[in-house]
Amino acid sequence: MEFGIPSQTLRDRISGEIDPDDFGRETPFLEEEELGLVEITAVKARLGYGV
């Protein structure tokens, strides 16, 4: 309830009806683009900038 996850979703995950490695929708970014965003965000965090 605290995180807004439906109880049926949790039951399905625990029972194995939903693959725990399946996170839903695909990312709109290519893998290289996503890694670039992660790297840029990490650099900005080290420099003290917020996201």
Side-chain angles (χ1 to χ4, degrees):
M1 288 174 50
E2 182 178 341
F3 296 102
I5 300 171
S7 57
Q8 186 62 49
T9 300
L10 297 174
R11 279 193 293 275
D12 290 345
R13 291 256 181 199
I14 291 169
S15 71
E17 291 183 41
I18 297 177
D19 181 6
D21 294 325
D22 181 12
F23 297 108
R25 293 183 224 133
E26 293 292 323
T27 176
F29 302 106
L30 298 174
E31 186 174 348
E32 296 83 22
E33 293 171 323
E34 191 171 338
L35 291 173
L37 290 171
V38 169
E39 186 177 330
I40 290 169
T41 304
V43 169
K44 287 187 176 201
R46 284 194 301 271
L47 295 174
Y49 291 100
V51 178

